[in-house]
């Protein structure tokens, strides 16, 4: 997503209690950003302009919602969406998700949403995907055992690869669909990007998964194995093409 620089975005967000622009300013207590300190947490990665976050926080007062994104030009609209709803159970965090380990404490959230992230189709860029094993291992650091992940994409290759990334990294597949109907969607909200793809007749792919209990050292072993398997696949491909 490319935006022309909006010079008002950062100053506007600096004044809002809905936005934490920099982890250097973190109070040290996530509950201090919410009206109710006792609610469980749900995290949305790549919240964009915040349509999902604002609707969900309003519809579901049983959770405190945190939307993470790095693009301040989009987040300023998310901030306005939250202001419009007036919810007291949502926060926006400006942060690079590729470096999210340590941002939230262990056993922090019971729900994770990832909707329409960049598919990074080139092989050498796959590791930047938000569902790549290098990312999934970081999500283990703050998700409770049994936490649910809801993932939607328009991209077939990202969907198919995610169907192997998730179980490889300790997330049991509960359900998947290569053509999700709106009425079958347990998240209940059509996101901004989803609407664009649906309007163009593009099938929406979705995966629901649940975090298993896996020891950190076993997870590191799984990530290493994943990298070895990828290397072996590349080598087999290289050899096959060398001999033809
Ligand atoms: C295509 S938009 C989707 C927005 C929204 N989820 C939706 O469905 O409408 C992807 C969002 O992910 C954010 N994003 C991508 N990579 C990120 C990263 N490494 N850290 C933080 N945000 C990221 C982008 O800034 C963008 O707002």
């Amino acid at each position: 997503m490319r935006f022309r620089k909006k010079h008002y975005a950062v100053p506007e967000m600096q004044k809002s209690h809905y936005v934490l622009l920099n982890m250097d300013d973190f109070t040290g207590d996530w509950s201090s950003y919410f009206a109710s300190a006792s609610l469980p947490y749900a995290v949305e990665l790549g919240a964009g302009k915040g349509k999902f976050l604002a609707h969900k926080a309003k519809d579901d007062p049983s959770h405190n919602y945190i939307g993470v994104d790095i693009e301040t030009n989009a987040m300023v609209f998310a901030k306005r969406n939250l202001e419009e709803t007036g919810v007291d159970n949502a926060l926006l965090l400006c942060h690079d998700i590729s470096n999210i380990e340590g941002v939230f404490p262990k056993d922090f959230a019971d729900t994770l949403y990832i909707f329409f992230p960049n598919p990074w189709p080139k092989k050498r860029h796959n590791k930047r995907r938000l569902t790549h094993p290098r990312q999934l291992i970081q999500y283990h650091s703050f998700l409770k055992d049994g936490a649910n992940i809801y993932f939607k994409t328009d991209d077939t290759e990202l969907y198919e690869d995610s169907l192997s990334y998730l179980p490889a990294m300790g997330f049991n597949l509960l359900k998947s669909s290569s053509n999700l109907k709106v009425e079958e969607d347990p998240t209940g909200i059509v996101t901004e990007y989803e609407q664009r793809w649906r309007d163009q007749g593009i099938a929406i792919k979705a995966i629901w998964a649940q975090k298993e209990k896996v020891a950190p050292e076993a997870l590191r072993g799984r990530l290493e194995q994943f990298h070895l398997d990828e290397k072996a696949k590349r080598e087999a491909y290289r050899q096959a093409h060398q001999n033809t």
Side-chain angles (χ1 to χ4, degrees):
M1 195 154 43
R2 284 271 173 268
F3 293 94
R4 200 182 306 153
K5 186 122 186 87
K6 294 181 173 61
H7 294 286
Y8 57 82
V10 168
E12 183 176 325
M13 286 194 290
Q14 274 167 339
K15 290 187 212 128
S16 173
H17 67 278
Y18 281 121
V19 186
L20 175 57
L21 267 177
N22 194 319
M23 277 304 287
D24 291 344
D25 301 326
F26 177 47
T27 60
D29 174 9
W30 286 106
S31 73
S32 67
Y33 296 93
F34 300 92
S36 170
S38 59
L39 296 179
Y41 291 92
V43 175
E44 184 190 3
L45 300 177
K49 293 185 182 173
K51 179 183 171 197
F52 174 81
L53 196 77
H55 276 78
K56 195 69 181 169
K58 188 160 182 255
D59 291 354
D60 172 27
S62 74
H63 278 76
N64 284 329
Y65 284 88
I66 302 180
V68 187
D69 209 293
I70 200 168
E71 182 51 75
T72 53
N73 287 354
M75 286 181 75
V76 70
F77 294 103
K79 172 232 153 209
R80 291 178 190 178
N81 278 330
L82 292 181
E83 280 171 352
E84 232 166 78
T85 57
V87 291
D88 58 11
N89 61 336
L91 177 74
L92 295 163
L93 168 65
C94 185
H95 195 77
D96 183 353
I97 297 158
S98 64
N99 194 16
I100 201 162
E101 192 163 359
V103 165
F104 303 119
K106 193 172 177 312
D107 294 332
F108 179 68
D110 68 10
T111 314
L112 187 70
Y113 299 104
I114 308 174
F115 299 139
F116 303 90
N118 188 315
W120 294 110
K122 288 187 182 149
K123 282 274 173 248
R124 68 175 188 281
H125 292 154
N126 282 178
K127 56 182 177 293
R128 299 183 192 172
R129 291 170 163 176
L130 294 189
T131 54
H132 190 275
R134 271 166 51 142
Q135 284 302 125
L136 295 177
I137 196 169
Q138 297 196 52
Y139 309 156
H140 269 269
S141 70
F142 65 86
L143 288 176
K144 294 182 179 178
D145 295 336
N148 288 305
I149 291 197
Y150 298 97
F151 166 66
K152 292 192 270 184
T153 180
D154 55 295
D155 189 87
T156 303
E157 209 178 297
L158 176 62
Y159 167 68
E160 284 171 359
D161 288 347
S162 300
L163 281 172
S164 44
Y165 294 158
L166 283 153
M169 291 307 293
F171 292 95
N172 289 322
L173 301 180
L174 298 179
K175 200 171 173 189
S176 61
S177 171
S178 56
N179 188 6
L180 182 75
K181 302 281 167 280
V182 171
E183 58 278 12
E184 294 166 356
D185 182 351
T187 70
I189 290 162
V190 174
T191 76
E192 194 202 348
Y193 268 74
E194 179 173 355
Q195 192 61 60
R196 288 193 198 176
W197 303 126
R198 287 195 183 278
D199 289 348
Q200 292 174 37
I202 292 170
I204 302 304
K205 293 71 153 167
I207 305 175
W208 320 138
Q210 194 162 46
K211 180 186 176 278
E212 289 175 43
K213 185 180 174 69
V214 190
E217 53 285 7
L219 270 180
R220 282 193 289 276
R222 288 191 190 197
L223 185 60
E224 237 166 72
Q225 189 57 51
F226 175 84
H227 285 137
L228 289 174
D229 292 347
E230 288 292 292
K231 201 172 162 194
K233 273 191 234 160
R234 280 198 302 275
E235 184 56 22
Y237 179 87
R238 195 185 61 78
Q239 284 188 7
H241 286 260
Q242 213 171 36
N243 300 336
T244 52

